[in-house]
Coordinates of all heavy atoms in Angstrom, one line a residue:
E166 N 3.5 -94.7 47.2 CA 3.6 -93.3 46.7 C 4.0 -93.2 45.3 O 3.6 -92.3 44.5 CB 4.6 -92.5 47.6 CG 4.2 -92.4 49.1 CD 2.9 -91.6 49.2 OE1 2.6 -90.8 48.3 OE2 2.2 -91.8 50.2
H167 N 4.9 -94.1 44.8 CA 5.3 -94.1 43.4 C 4.1 -94.4 42.5 O 3.9 -93.8 41.5 CB 6.4 -95.1 43.2 CG 6.8 -95.3 41.8 ND1 6.2 -96.2 40.9 CD2 7.7 -94.6 41.0 CE1 6.7 -96.1 39.7 NE2 7.6 -95.2 39.7
A168 N 3.3 -95.4 43.0 CA 2.1 -95.8 42.2 C 1.1 -94.6 42.1 O 0.5 -94.3 41.1 CB 1.5 -97.0 42.8
R169 N 0.9 -94.0 43.3 CA 0.0 -92.8 43.3 C 0.5 -91.7 42.4 O -0.2 -91.0 41.7 CB -0.1 -92.3 44.8 CG -1.1 -91.2 44.9 CD -1.1 -90.6 46.3 NE -1.8 -89.3 46.3 CZ -1.8 -88.4 47.3 NH1 -1.0 -88.7 48.3 NH2 -2.5 -87.3 47.2
L170 N 1.8 -91.5 42.5 CA 2.4 -90.4 41.6 C 2.2 -90.7 40.2 O 1.8 -89.8 39.4 CB 3.9 -90.3 42.0 CG 4.7 -89.2 41.4 CD1 4.2 -87.9 41.9 CD2 6.2 -89.3 41.7
L171 N 2.5 -91.9 39.8 CA 2.3 -92.3 38.4 C 0.8 -92.2 38.0 O 0.5 -91.7 36.9 CB 2.8 -93.7 38.2 CG 2.8 -94.3 36.7 CD1 3.6 -93.4 35.8 CD2 3.2 -95.7 36.7
G172 N -0.1 -92.7 38.8 CA -1.5 -92.6 38.5 C -2.0 -91.2 38.4 O -2.8 -90.8 37.5
L173 N -1.4 -90.3 39.2 CA -1.8 -88.9 39.2 C -1.4 -88.3 37.9 O -2.2 -87.5 37.2 CB -1.2 -88.1 40.4 CG -1.6 -86.7 40.5 CD1 -3.1 -86.5 40.7 CD2 -0.8 -86.1 41.7
L174 N -0.2 -88.6 37.4 CA 0.3 -88.0 36.1 C -0.6 -88.5 35.0 O -0.9 -87.8 34.0 CB 1.7 -88.4 35.9 CG 2.7 -87.7 36.8 CD1 4.1 -88.2 36.6 CD2 2.8 -86.2 36.5
V175 N -0.9 -89.8 35.0 CA -1.7 -90.4 33.9 C -3.1 -89.7 33.9 O -3.6 -89.4 32.9 CB -1.9 -91.9 34.1 CG1 -2.9 -92.5 33.1 CG2 -0.5 -92.6 33.9
M176 N -3.7 -89.5 35.1 CA -5.0 -88.9 35.2 C -5.0 -87.5 34.7 O -5.9 -87.0 34.0 CB -5.6 -89.0 36.6 CG -5.9 -90.4 37.1 SD -7.3 -91.1 36.2 CE -7.5 -92.6 37.1
L177 N -4.0 -86.7 35.1 CA -3.9 -85.3 34.6 C -3.8 -85.3 33.1 O -4.3 -84.4 32.4 CB -2.7 -84.6 35.3 CG -2.9 -84.3 36.8 CD1 -1.6 -83.8 37.4 CD2 -4.0 -83.2 36.9
R178 N -3.0 -86.2 32.6 CA -2.8 -86.2 31.1 C -4.2 -86.5 30.4 O -4.5 -85.9 29.4 CB -1.8 -87.3 30.7 CG -1.6 -87.4 29.2 CD -0.9 -88.7 28.8 NE -1.7 -89.8 29.1 CZ -1.3 -91.1 29.0 NH1 -0.1 -91.4 28.6 NH2 -2.1 -92.1 29.2
E179 N -4.9 -87.5 30.9 CA -6.2 -87.8 30.3 C -7.2 -86.7 30.5 O -8.0 -86.4 29.6 CB -6.8 -89.1 31.0 CG -6.0 -90.3 30.7 CD -5.8 -90.6 29.2 OE1 -6.8 -90.5 28.5 OE2 -4.7 -90.9 28.8
L180 N -7.2 -86.0 31.6 CA -8.0 -84.8 31.8 C -7.7 -83.7 30.8 O -8.7 -83.1 30.2 CB -7.9 -84.3 33.2 CG -9.1 -83.5 33.8 CD1 -10.3 -84.4 33.9 CD2 -8.7 -83.0 35.2
G181 N -6.5 -83.5 30.5 CA -6.1 -82.5 29.5 C -6.5 -83.0 28.1 O -7.0 -82.1 27.3
R182 N -6.4 -84.2 27.8 CA -6.9 -84.7 26.5 C -8.3 -84.5 26.3 O -8.8 -84.1 25.2 CB -6.6 -86.2 26.4 CG -5.1 -86.6 26.1 CD -5.0 -88.1 26.0 NE -5.6 -88.6 24.8 CZ -5.9 -89.9 24.6 NH1 -5.6 -90.8 25.6 NH2 -6.5 -90.3 23.5
G183 N -9.1 -84.7 27.3 CA -10.6 -84.5 27.2 C -10.9 -83.1 27.0 O -11.9 -82.8 26.3
D184 N -10.2 -82.2 27.6 CA -10.4 -80.7 27.4 C -10.1 -80.3 26.0 O -10.6 -79.3 25.6 CB -9.6 -79.9 28.5 CG -10.4 -79.8 29.8 OD1 -11.5 -80.3 29.9 OD2 -9.8 -79.2 30.7
L185 N -9.2 -81.0 25.3 CA -8.8 -80.5 24.0 C -9.2 -81.4 22.9 O -8.9 -81.1 21.7 CB -7.2 -80.5 24.0 CG -6.6 -79.5 25.0 CD1 -5.0 -79.7 25.0 CD2 -7.0 -78.1 24.8
V186 N -10.0 -82.4 23.1 CA -10.4 -83.3 22.0 C -11.4 -82.5 21.1 O -12.1 -81.6 21.5 CB -11.2 -84.5 22.6 CG1 -12.5 -84.2 23.2 CG2 -11.4 -85.6 21.5
E187 N -11.3 -82.8 19.8 CA -12.1 -82.1 18.8 C -13.2 -83.0 18.3 O -13.2 -84.3 18.5 CB -11.2 -81.7 17.6 CG -10.1 -80.7 17.9 CD -10.7 -79.4 18.3 OE1 -11.9 -79.1 18.1 OE2 -9.9 -78.6 18.9
A188 N -14.2 -82.4 17.6 CA -15.4 -83.2 17.2 C -15.2 -84.3 16.2 O -15.9 -85.3 16.2 CB -16.5 -82.2 16.7
D189 N -14.1 -84.1 15.4 CA -13.9 -85.1 14.3 C -13.3 -86.4 14.9 O -13.1 -87.3 14.1 CB -12.9 -84.5 13.3 CG -11.6 -84.0 13.8 OD1 -11.4 -84.2 15.0 OD2 -10.8 -83.3 13.1
A190 N -13.0 -86.4 16.2 CA -12.5 -87.6 16.8 C -13.7 -88.6 17.2 O -13.4 -89.7 17.5 CB -11.7 -87.3 18.0
F191 N -14.9 -88.1 17.1 CA -16.1 -88.9 17.5 C -16.6 -89.7 16.3 O -16.4 -89.3 15.1 CB -17.2 -88.0 17.9 CG -17.0 -87.4 19.3 CD1 -15.9 -86.6 19.6 CD2 -17.9 -87.7 20.3 CE1 -15.7 -86.1 20.9 CE2 -17.7 -87.2 21.6 CZ -16.6 -86.4 21.9
G192 N -17.1 -90.9 16.6 CA -17.7 -91.8 15.6 C -18.5 -92.9 16.3 O -18.7 -92.9 17.5
P193 N -19.1 -93.8 15.5 CA -19.9 -94.8 16.1 C -19.1 -95.8 16.9 O -18.0 -96.2 16.5 CB -20.5 -95.6 14.8 CG -20.2 -94.7 13.7 CD -19.0 -93.8 14.0
V194 N -19.6 -96.1 18.1 CA -18.9 -96.9 19.1 C -19.9 -97.9 19.7 O -21.0 -97.5 20.2 CB -18.2 -96.1 20.2 CG1 -17.5 -97.1 21.2 CG2 -17.2 -95.1 19.6
D195 N -19.6 -99.2 19.6 CA -20.4 -100.2 20.3 C -20.1 -100.2 21.8 O -19.0 -100.6 22.2 CB -20.2 -101.6 19.7 CG -21.2 -102.6 20.2 OD1 -21.9 -102.3 21.2 OD2 -21.4 -103.7 19.5
L196 N -21.0 -99.7 22.6 CA -20.7 -99.5 24.0 C -20.5 -100.9 24.7 O -19.7 -101.0 25.6 CB -21.8 -98.8 24.7 CG -21.6 -98.1 26.0 CD1 -20.4 -97.2 25.9 CD2 -22.8 -97.4 26.5
A197 N -21.1 -101.9 24.2 CA -20.9 -103.2 24.8 C -19.5 -103.7 24.6 O -18.9 -104.3 25.6 CB -21.9 -104.2 24.2
D198 N -18.9 -103.5 23.5 CA -17.5 -103.9 23.3 C -16.6 -103.1 24.2 O -15.6 -103.7 24.8 CB -17.1 -103.6 21.8 CG -17.8 -104.5 20.8 OD1 -18.3 -105.5 21.2 OD2 -17.7 -104.1 19.6
V199 N -16.8 -101.9 24.5 CA -16.0 -101.1 25.4 C -16.1 -101.7 26.8 O -15.1 -101.8 27.5 CB -16.4 -99.6 25.4 CG1 -15.6 -98.8 26.4 CG2 -16.2 -99.0 24.0
V200 N -17.3 -102.0 27.2 CA -17.5 -102.5 28.6 C -16.9 -103.9 28.8 O -16.2 -104.1 29.8 CB -19.0 -102.6 28.9 CG1 -19.3 -103.2 30.3 CG2 -19.7 -101.2 28.9
E201 N -17.1 -104.7 27.8 CA -16.5 -106.1 27.9 C -14.9 -106.0 27.9 O -14.3 -106.7 28.7 CB -16.9 -106.9 26.7 CG -18.4 -107.3 26.7 CD -18.8 -108.2 27.9 OE1 -17.9 -108.8 28.5 OE2 -20.0 -108.3 28.2
A202 N -14.3 -105.2 27.1 CA -12.9 -105.1 27.1 C -12.4 -104.5 28.4 O -11.4 -105.0 28.9 CB -12.5 -104.2 25.9
S203 N -13.1 -103.5 28.9 CA -12.6 -103.0 30.2 C -12.8 -104.0 31.4 O -11.9 -104.1 32.2 CB -13.5 -101.7 30.5 OG -13.1 -101.2 31.8
A204 N -13.9 -104.7 31.3 CA -14.1 -105.7 32.4 C -13.0 -106.8 32.4 O -12.5 -107.2 33.4 CB -15.5 -106.3 32.3
E205 N -12.7 -107.3 31.2 CA -11.6 -108.3 31.0 C -10.3 -107.8 31.5 O -9.5 -108.5 32.2 CB -11.5 -108.7 29.6 CG -12.7 -109.5 29.1 CD -12.6 -109.8 27.6 OE1 -11.6 -109.4 27.0 OE2 -13.5 -110.4 27.0
D206 N -10.0 -106.5 31.3 CA -8.7 -105.9 31.7 C -8.7 -105.8 33.2 O -7.7 -106.1 33.9 CB -8.6 -104.5 31.1 CG -7.2 -103.9 31.3 OD1 -6.2 -104.7 31.2 OD2 -7.1 -102.8 31.7
Q207 N -9.8 -105.4 33.8 CA -9.9 -105.3 35.3 C -9.8 -106.7 36.0 O -9.2 -106.8 37.1 CB -11.2 -104.6 35.7 CG -11.3 -103.1 35.3 CD -10.2 -102.3 35.9 OE1 -9.7 -102.5 37.0 NE2 -9.9 -101.2 35.2
V208 N -10.4 -107.7 35.4 CA -10.2 -109.1 35.9 C -8.8 -109.5 36.0 O -8.3 -110.1 36.9 CB -11.1 -110.0 35.1 CG1 -10.8 -111.5 35.5 CG2 -12.6 -109.7 35.4
R209 N -8.0 -109.2 34.9 CA -6.6 -109.5 34.9 C -5.8 -108.8 36.0 O -4.9 -109.3 36.6 CB -6.0 -109.2 33.5 CG -6.4 -110.2 32.4 CD -5.5 -110.0 31.2 NE -5.8 -108.7 30.6 CZ -6.7 -108.4 29.6 NH1 -7.4 -109.4 29.2 NH2 -6.8 -107.3 29.1
R210 N -6.2 -107.5 36.3 CA -5.5 -106.8 37.3 C -6.0 -107.2 38.7 O -5.2 -107.0 39.6 CB -5.8 -105.3 37.1 CG -5.2 -104.7 35.8 CD -5.5 -103.2 35.7 NE -5.0 -102.7 34.4 CZ -5.0 -101.4 34.1 NH1 -5.5 -100.5 35.0 NH2 -4.5 -100.9 33.0
H211 N -7.2 -107.6 38.8 CA -7.7 -108.0 40.2 C -8.3 -109.4 40.1 O -9.5 -109.6 40.0 CB -8.9 -107.0 40.6 CG -8.4 -105.6 40.6 ND1 -7.9 -105.0 41.7 CD2 -8.5 -104.6 39.6 CE1 -7.6 -103.7 41.4 NE2 -8.0 -103.5 40.2
P212 N -7.4 -110.4 40.1 CA -7.9 -111.8 39.8 C -8.8 -112.3 40.9 O -9.6 -113.2 40.7 CB -6.6 -112.6 39.8 CG -5.6 -111.7 40.5 CD -6.0 -110.3 40.2
L213 N -8.7 -111.7 42.1 CA -9.6 -112.2 43.2 C -11.0 -111.6 43.2 O -11.9 -112.1 43.8 CB -8.9 -112.0 44.6 CG -7.6 -112.7 44.8 CD1 -7.1 -112.3 46.2 CD2 -7.7 -114.2 44.7
A214 N -11.1 -110.5 42.5 CA -12.4 -109.8 42.4 C -13.4 -110.5 41.5 O -13.0 -111.3 40.6 CB -12.2 -108.4 42.0
R215 N -14.6 -110.2 41.7 CA -15.7 -110.8 40.8 C -16.4 -109.7 40.1 O -17.0 -108.8 40.7 CB -16.7 -111.6 41.7 CG -17.8 -112.2 40.9 CD -18.9 -112.8 41.8 NE -20.1 -113.0 41.1 CZ -21.3 -113.4 41.6 NH1 -21.3 -113.6 43.0 NH2 -22.4 -113.6 40.9
I216 N -16.3 -109.8 38.8 CA -17.0 -108.8 38.0 C -18.0 -109.5 37.1 O -17.6 -110.3 36.2 CB -16.1 -108.0 37.1 CG1 -15.1 -107.2 38.0 CG2 -16.8 -107.0 36.2 CD1 -14.0 -106.4 37.2
S217 N -19.3 -109.3 37.2 CA -20.3 -109.9 36.4 C -20.9 -108.8 35.5 O -21.1 -107.7 35.9 CB -21.4 -110.5 37.2 OG -22.1 -109.5 38.0
S218 N -21.0 -109.2 34.2 CA -21.5 -108.2 33.2 C -22.6 -108.7 32.4 O -22.7 -109.9 32.1 CB -20.4 -107.7 32.3 OG -19.8 -108.8 31.6
D219 N -23.6 -107.9 32.1 CA -24.7 -108.2 31.2 C -24.8 -107.1 30.2 O -25.5 -106.1 30.5 CB -26.0 -108.4 32.0 CG -27.2 -108.8 31.2 OD1 -27.0 -109.1 30.0 OD2 -28.3 -108.7 31.7
C220 N -24.2 -107.3 29.1 CA -24.1 -106.2 28.1 C -24.4 -106.7 26.7 O -23.5 -107.3 26.0 CB -22.7 -105.6 28.1 SG -22.1 -105.0 29.7
P221 N -25.7 -106.6 26.3 CA -26.0 -107.1 24.9 C -25.3 -106.2 23.9 O -25.2 -105.0 24.0 CB -27.5 -106.9 24.9 CG -27.8 -105.9 25.9 CD -26.8 -106.1 27.0
P222 N -24.8 -106.8 22.8 CA -24.1 -106.0 21.8 C -25.1 -105.2 20.9 O -26.3 -105.4 21.0 CB -23.4 -107.1 20.9 CG -24.3 -108.3 21.1 CD -24.8 -108.3 22.5
G223 N -24.5 -104.3 20.2 CA -25.3 -103.6 19.2 C -25.9 -102.3 19.7 O -26.7 -101.6 19.1
L224 N -25.4 -101.8 20.9 CA -25.8 -100.5 21.4 C -24.8 -99.5 21.1 O -23.8 -99.3 21.8 CB -26.0 -100.6 23.0 CG -27.1 -101.5 23.5 CD1 -27.2 -101.4 25.0 CD2 -28.5 -101.1 22.9
Y225 N -25.0 -98.8 19.9 CA -24.1 -97.9 19.4 C -24.4 -96.5 19.9 O -25.5 -96.0 19.9 CB -24.1 -97.9 17.9 CG -23.4 -99.1 17.3 CD1 -24.0 -100.3 17.1 CD2 -22.0 -99.1 17.0 CE1 -23.4 -101.4 16.5 CE2 -21.4 -100.2 16.4 CZ -22.1 -101.3 16.2 OH -21.4 -102.4 15.7
V226 N -23.3 -95.8 20.2 CA -23.4 -94.4 20.6 C -22.4 -93.6 19.7 O -21.4 -94.2 19.2 CB -23.0 -94.1 22.1 CG1 -24.0 -94.8 23.0 CG2 -21.6 -94.6 22.4
H227 N -22.7 -92.3 19.5 CA -21.7 -91.5 18.7 C -20.8 -90.9 19.7 O -21.1 -90.0 20.5 CB -22.5 -90.4 18.0 CG -21.6 -89.6 17.0 ND1 -21.2 -90.2 15.9 CD2 -21.2 -88.4 17.1 CE1 -20.5 -89.3 15.2 NE2 -20.4 -88.2 15.9
G228 N -19.6 -91.5 19.8 CA -18.7 -91.0 20.9 C -17.2 -91.2 20.5 O -16.8 -91.6 19.4
W229 N -16.4 -90.8 21.4 CA -14.9 -90.8 21.4 C -14.5 -92.1 22.1 O -14.6 -92.1 23.3 CB -14.3 -89.6 22.0 CG -12.8 -89.5 21.9 CD1 -12.0 -89.9 20.9 CD2 -12.0 -89.0 23.0 NE1 -10.7 -89.7 21.2 CE2 -10.6 -89.2 22.5 CE3 -12.2 -88.5 24.2 CZ2 -9.5 -88.8 23.2 CZ3 -11.1 -88.1 25.0 CH2 -9.8 -88.3 24.5
E230 N -14.1 -93.1 21.4 CA -13.8 -94.4 22.0 C -12.8 -94.3 23.2 O -13.1 -94.9 24.3 CB -13.4 -95.4 21.0 CG -13.2 -96.8 21.6 CD -13.1 -97.9 20.5 OE1 -13.1 -97.5 19.3 OE2 -12.9 -99.1 20.8
P231 N -11.7 -93.7 23.1 CA -10.8 -93.6 24.3 C -11.5 -92.9 25.5 O -11.3 -93.3 26.6 CB -9.6 -92.7 23.8 CG -9.6 -92.9 22.3 CD -11.1 -93.0 21.9
G232 N -12.4 -91.9 25.2 CA -13.1 -91.3 26.3 C -14.1 -92.2 27.0 O -14.2 -92.3 28.2
L233 N -14.8 -93.0 26.2 CA -15.8 -93.9 26.7 C -15.1 -95.1 27.5 O -15.5 -95.5 28.5 CB -16.6 -94.5 25.6 CG -17.6 -93.5 24.9 CD1 -18.2 -94.2 23.7 CD2 -18.6 -93.0 25.9
R234 N -13.9 -95.5 27.0 CA -13.1 -96.5 27.7 C -12.6 -95.9 29.0 O -12.6 -96.6 30.1 CB -11.9 -96.9 26.9 CG -11.0 -97.9 27.5 CD -11.8 -99.2 27.8 NE -10.9 -100.1 28.6 CZ -10.1 -101.1 28.1 NH1 -10.1 -101.3 26.8 NH2 -9.4 -101.9 28.9
T235 N -12.3 -94.6 29.1 CA -11.9 -94.0 30.3 C -13.1 -94.0 31.3 O -12.9 -94.3 32.5 CB -11.5 -92.5 30.1 OG1 -10.3 -92.5 29.2 CG2 -11.2 -91.8 31.4
V236 N -14.3 -93.8 30.8 CA -15.5 -93.8 31.7 C -15.6 -95.2 32.4 O -15.7 -95.3 33.6 CB -16.8 -93.5 30.9 CG1 -18.0 -93.7 31.7 CG2 -16.7 -92.0 30.5
V237 N -15.6 -96.2 31.6 CA -15.8 -97.6 32.1 C -14.7 -98.0 33.0 O -14.9 -98.6 34.1 CB -16.1 -98.6 30.9 CG1 -16.3 -100.0 31.5 CG2 -17.2 -98.1 30.1
D238 N -13.5 -97.7 32.5 CA -12.3 -98.1 33.3 C -12.3 -97.5 34.7 O -12.1 -98.2 35.8 CB -11.0 -97.7 32.6 CG -10.6 -98.6 31.5 OD1 -11.2 -99.7 31.4 OD2 -9.7 -98.2 30.7
N239 N -12.6 -96.2 34.8 CA -12.6 -95.6 36.1 C -13.8 -95.9 37.0 O -13.7 -96.0 38.2 CB -12.6 -94.0 35.9 CG -11.2 -93.6 35.5 OD1 -10.3 -93.5 36.4 ND2 -11.0 -93.3 34.3
L240 N -15.0 -96.2 36.4 CA -16.1 -96.7 37.2 C -15.8 -98.0 37.8 O -16.1 -98.3 39.0 CB -17.4 -96.7 36.3 CG -18.0 -95.4 35.9 CD1 -19.2 -95.6 35.0 CD2 -18.4 -94.6 37.1
L241 N -15.2 -98.9 37.0 CA -14.9 -100.3 37.5 C -13.8 -100.2 38.5 O -13.9 -100.9 39.6 CB -14.5 -101.2 36.3 CG -15.7 -101.6 35.4 CD1 -15.2 -102.5 34.3 CD2 -16.8 -102.2 36.1
A242 N -12.8 -99.4 38.2 CA -11.7 -99.3 39.2 C -12.1 -98.7 40.5 O -11.7 -99.2 41.6 CB -10.5 -98.4 38.6
N243 N -13.0 -97.7 40.4 CA -13.5 -97.1 41.7 C -14.4 -98.1 42.4 O -14.3 -98.2 43.7 CB -14.4 -95.9 41.3 CG -14.9 -95.2 42.5 OD1 -14.2 -94.5 43.2 ND2 -16.2 -95.4 42.8
A244 N -15.2 -98.9 41.7 CA -16.0 -99.9 42.4 C -15.1 -101.0 43.0 O -15.4 -101.5 44.1 CB -17.0 -100.5 41.4
L245 N -14.1 -101.4 42.3 CA -13.2 -102.5 42.9 C -12.4 -102.0 44.1 O -12.2 -102.8 45.0 CB -12.2 -103.0 41.8 CG -12.9 -103.7 40.6 CD1 -11.9 -103.9 39.5 CD2 -13.4 -105.1 41.1
V246 N -12.0 -100.8 44.1 CA -11.2 -100.3 45.2 C -12.1 -100.0 46.4 O -11.8 -100.3 47.6 CB -10.5 -99.0 44.8 CG1 -9.9 -98.3 46.0 CG2 -9.4 -99.3 43.8
H247 N -13.3 -99.4 46.2 CA -14.1 -99.0 47.3 C -15.3 -99.9 47.5 O -16.1 -99.6 48.4 CB -14.6 -97.6 47.1 CG -13.6 -96.5 46.9 ND1 -12.7 -96.2 47.9 CD2 -13.2 -95.8 45.8 CE1 -11.8 -95.3 47.5 NE2 -12.1 -95.1 46.2
G248 N -15.4 -101.0 46.7 CA -16.6 -101.8 46.8 C -16.4 -103.1 47.6 O -17.2 -104.1 47.4
C249 N -15.3 -103.2 48.4 CA -15.1 -104.4 49.2 C -16.0 -104.4 50.4 O -16.3 -103.3 51.0 CB -13.6 -104.5 49.6 SG -12.5 -104.5 48.2
E250 N -16.4 -105.6 50.8 CA -17.3 -105.7 52.0 C -16.6 -106.6 53.0 O -16.3 -107.8 52.7 CB -18.7 -106.3 51.6 CG -18.6 -107.5 50.7 CD -20.0 -108.0 50.5 OE1 -21.0 -107.6 51.2 OE2 -20.2 -108.8 49.5
H251 N -16.4 -106.0 54.2 CA -15.8 -106.8 55.3 C -14.5 -107.5 54.9 O -14.2 -108.6 55.3 CB -16.8 -107.8 55.8 CG -18.2 -107.3 56.1 ND1 -18.3 -106.3 57.0 CD2 -19.4 -107.6 55.6 CE1 -19.6 -106.0 57.1 NE2 -20.3 -106.7 56.2
G252 N -13.7 -106.8 54.1 CA -12.3 -107.3 53.8 C -12.4 -108.4 52.7 O -11.3 -108.9 52.4
R253 N -13.5 -108.8 52.3 CA -13.6 -109.8 51.2 C -13.3 -109.2 49.8 O -13.5 -107.9 49.7 CB -14.9 -110.5 51.2 CG -15.1 -111.4 52.5 CD -16.4 -112.1 52.5 NE -17.5 -111.2 52.7 CZ -18.8 -111.5 52.8 NH1 -19.1 -112.8 52.6 NH2 -19.7 -110.6 53.0
P254 N -13.0 -110.0 48.8 CA -12.8 -109.4 47.5 C -14.0 -108.7 47.0 O -15.1 -109.1 47.3 CB -12.4 -110.6 46.6 CG -11.9 -111.6 47.6 CD -12.6 -111.4 48.9
A255 N -13.8 -107.7 46.2 CA -14.9 -106.9 45.7 C -15.8 -107.6 44.7 O -15.3 -108.5 44.0 CB -14.3 -105.6 45.0
R256 N -17.1 -107.3 44.7 CA -18.0 -107.8 43.8 C -18.7 -106.7 43.1 O -19.2 -105.8 43.7 CB -19.1 -108.7 44.5 CG -18.5 -110.0 45.1 CD -19.6 -110.7 45.9 NE -20.7 -111.0 45.0 CZ -21.9 -111.4 45.5 NH1 -22.1 -111.5 46.8 NH2 -22.9 -111.7 44.6
V257 N -18.6 -106.7 41.8 CA -19.1 -105.6 41.0 C -20.0 -106.1 39.9 O -19.7 -107.1 39.2 CB -18.0 -104.8 40.3 CG1 -18.5 -103.6 39.4 CG2 -17.0 -104.2 41.4
D258 N -21.2 -105.6 39.7 CA -22.1 -105.9 38.7 C -22.3 -104.8 37.7 O -22.5 -103.7 38.1 CB -23.5 -106.3 39.3 CG -23.5 -107.4 40.2 OD1 -22.7 -108.4 40.0 OD2 -24.2 -107.4 41.3
V259 N -22.1 -105.2 36.4 CA -22.2 -104.2 35.3 C -23.3 -104.6 34.4 O -23.3 -105.7 33.9 CB -20.9 -104.1 34.5 CG1 -20.9 -102.9 33.5 CG2 -19.7 -103.8 35.5
T260 N -24.2 -103.7 34.1 CA -25.3 -104.0 33.2 C -25.4 -102.8 32.2 O -25.1 -101.7 32.5 CB -26.7 -104.1 33.9 OG1 -27.0 -102.9 34.6 CG2 -26.6 -105.3 34.9
L261 N -25.9 -103.2 31.0 CA -26.0 -102.2 29.9 C -27.4 -102.6 29.2 O -27.6 -103.7 28.9 CB -24.9 -102.3 28.9 CG -24.9 -101.4 27.7 CD1 -24.7 -99.9 28.2 CD2 -23.7 -101.7 26.8
R262 N -28.2 -101.5 29.0 CA -29.5 -101.7 28.4 C -29.9 -100.5 27.6 O -29.3 -99.4 27.8 CB -30.5 -102.1 29.4 CG -31.0 -101.0 30.3 CD -32.0 -101.4 31.3 NE -32.6 -100.3 32.0 CZ -32.1 -99.8 33.1 NH1 -31.0 -100.3 33.6 NH2 -32.7 -98.7 33.7
A263 N -30.8 -100.6 26.7 CA -31.4 -99.5 26.0 C -32.7 -99.1 26.5 O -33.5 -100.0 26.9 CB -31.5 -99.9 24.5
S264 N -33.0 -97.8 26.6 CA -34.3 -97.4 27.1 C -34.5 -96.0 26.5 O -33.8 -95.0 26.7 CB -34.3 -97.3 28.6 OG -35.5 -96.8 29.1
G265 N -35.6 -95.9 25.7 CA -36.1 -94.6 25.2 C -35.0 -93.8 24.4 O -34.9 -92.6 24.6

Side-chain angles (χ1 to χ4, degrees):
E166 293 299 336
H167 176 268
R169 182 188 169 196
L170 189 64
L171 183 60
L173 184 60
L174 289 173
V175 171
M176 292 294 186
L177 286 172
R178 181 195 65 185
E179 294 302 315
L180 203 60
R182 286 181 65 196
D184 273 357
L185 299 177
V186 67
E187 297 294 345
D189 56 7
F191 284 62
V194 179
D195 189 343
L196 199 55
D198 290 344
V199 176
V200 174
E201 292 293 345
S203 178
E205 291 175 2
D206 188 47
Q207 294 297 332
V208 167
R209 286 192 295 269
R210 295 183 182 183
H211 305 271
L213 299 180
R215 174 188 167 188
I216 301 178
S217 63
S218 61
D219 180 12
C220 303
L224 295 181
Y225 284 88
V226 298
H227 188 71
W229 181 42
E230 186 168 359
L233 292 174
R234 178 63 187 266
T235 296
V236 170
V237 182
D238 282 348
N239 283 284
L240 288 178
L241 292 181
N243 183 76
L245 290 170
V246 170
H247 302 293
C249 301
E250 51 178 341
H251 308 301
R253 290 180 291 181
R256 296 176 57 192
V257 178
D258 298 323
V259 185
T260 59
L261 181 64
R262 70 180 189 275
S264 176

